[in-house]
Amino acid sequence: FPRYERTAPEKVEVLDDLRFAWHYLRQRRGLLGLLWIYAGVNFLLSATAVLQIPLIISFSTETAAGVVLSIAGVGAVAGSLLVSALGTPKRLIRAVLLGILAVGVLTALTGVRESLLLIAVCTTLDFFLSPIINSSSQVVWQTKVAEGVQGRVFALRYMIARIVSPLAILIAGPVADGVFGPLLETNGGLATSVGSMIGTGPGRGIGFIFILGGIGTVALAIAGWSMPRVRNLETELPDLAGRP
């Protein structure tokens, strides 16, 4: 990145900064669309992430859950090392959206059956892809947002993209225990429909949440690709910060 000449900031109010950042993004619809896609993905994947251990221990042990997450952690390290060694893909938006689509498929597969091997493989691949997706997205933001406004714009970006995660975590447990769990009991309302495909009993309601979360994530990736402003973001907006 080129050297940025800083100027002494004037006294400003937080709300003024938020309004400025919002106006900046509204003028750049591709970035705003990408932000909403990320917020949706964060909501869905936060809801499934908090249910990962309950899903595993519904048919196995806490030790098995620890092993699965440890293996998945290796996948995250591998993905990070790959990005560090080779850099981000050339076509960043395509990498982000295809990565989100792949994560959605993997999330849905995680809930399909009670299989430690399947869950371990899907979770590891998910963790492997996350650094690639997130670093590609970060490069987009850092090269499409002018240096002098990145602090304000990124603050609003992080607030919108991440404020949904606590909400998802808050409601995931009650929804699993109070809604989908009973529906996928042996004699539950979905036992003869969804239950005939993914099984019934303890943990199957959580599995169904994974499937729904995965399908929703895939839908968000497809929606992003169907938006020309998002799909063509790299060519429509100039590289204001200078891309290495």
Side-chain angles (χ1 to χ4, degrees):
F1 293 93
R3 178 180 295 276
Y4 176 68
E5 298 296 332
R6 298 180 180 274
T7 57
E10 299 178 0
K11 185 178 180 180
V12 295
E13 299 291 337
V14 173
L15 290 179
D16 291 335
D17 282 344
L18 288 175
R19 279 192 289 266
F20 173 86
W22 178 249
H23 181 69
Y24 187 92
L25 288 177
R26 286 195 63 185
Q27 292 180 319
R28 294 156 180 82
R29 295 287 183 174
L31 287 173
L32 187 59
L34 183 63
L35 173 57
W36 289 123
I37 290 168
Y38 249 82
V41 170
N42 284 345
F43 178 84
L44 294 172
L45 297 186
S46 294
T48 56
V50 75
L51 295 173
Q52 186 88 36
I53 293 177
L55 175 67
I56 296 172
I57 65 176
S58 68
F59 67 91
S60 189
T61 65
E62 291 89 345
T63 300
V67 170
V68 168
L69 293 181
S70 296
I71 295 172
V74 174
V77 172
S80 300
L81 292 175
L82 181 65
V83 172
S84 298
L86 302 181
T88 53
K90 294 294 184 182
R91 298 187 62 180
L92 296 167
I93 292 298
R94 183 173 68 176
V96 169
L97 295 177
L98 285 178
I100 290 174
L101 187 145
V103 167
V105 172
L106 292 168
T107 301
L109 288 175
T110 299
V112 167
R113 56 184 297 188
E114 296 176 334
S115 167
L116 280 178
L117 178 60
L118 177 64
I119 294 174
V121 170
C122 290
T123 307
T124 301
L125 291 174
D126 184 351
F127 279 37
F128 174 80
L129 290 172
S130 291
I132 301 172
I133 298 168
N134 291 330
S135 58
S136 298
S137 173
Q138 185 68 16
V139 171
V140 170
W141 284 90
Q142 288 189 204
T143 56
K144 301 302 179 182
V145 177
E147 298 99 320
V149 303
Q150 284 187 5
R152 287 168 284 179
V153 173
F154 287 9
L156 179 63
R157 167 199 170 196
Y158 291 137
M159 183 184 73
I160 293 175
R162 296 180 180 179
I163 199 171
V164 297
S165 295
L167 177 61
I169 292 170
L170 183 66
I171 68 175
V175 169
D177 291 340
V179 180
F180 291 113
L183 286 173
L184 282 162
E185 292 290 348
T186 304
N187 297 316
L190 296 178
T192 58
S193 53
V194 176
S196 65
M197 294 181 285
I198 68 171
T200 58
R204 288 297 77 206
I206 297 176
F208 190 44
I209 290 175
F210 271 77
I211 293 172
L212 293 177
I215 292 173
T217 301
V218 169
L220 286 170
I222 294 173
W225 190 257
S226 69
M227 300 176 187
R229 290 291 178 87
V230 174
R231 186 175 66 248
N232 301 320
L233 196 161
E234 291 176 84
T235 55
E236 286 192 354
L237 292 180
D239 286 351
L240 298 176
R243 183 176 173 182

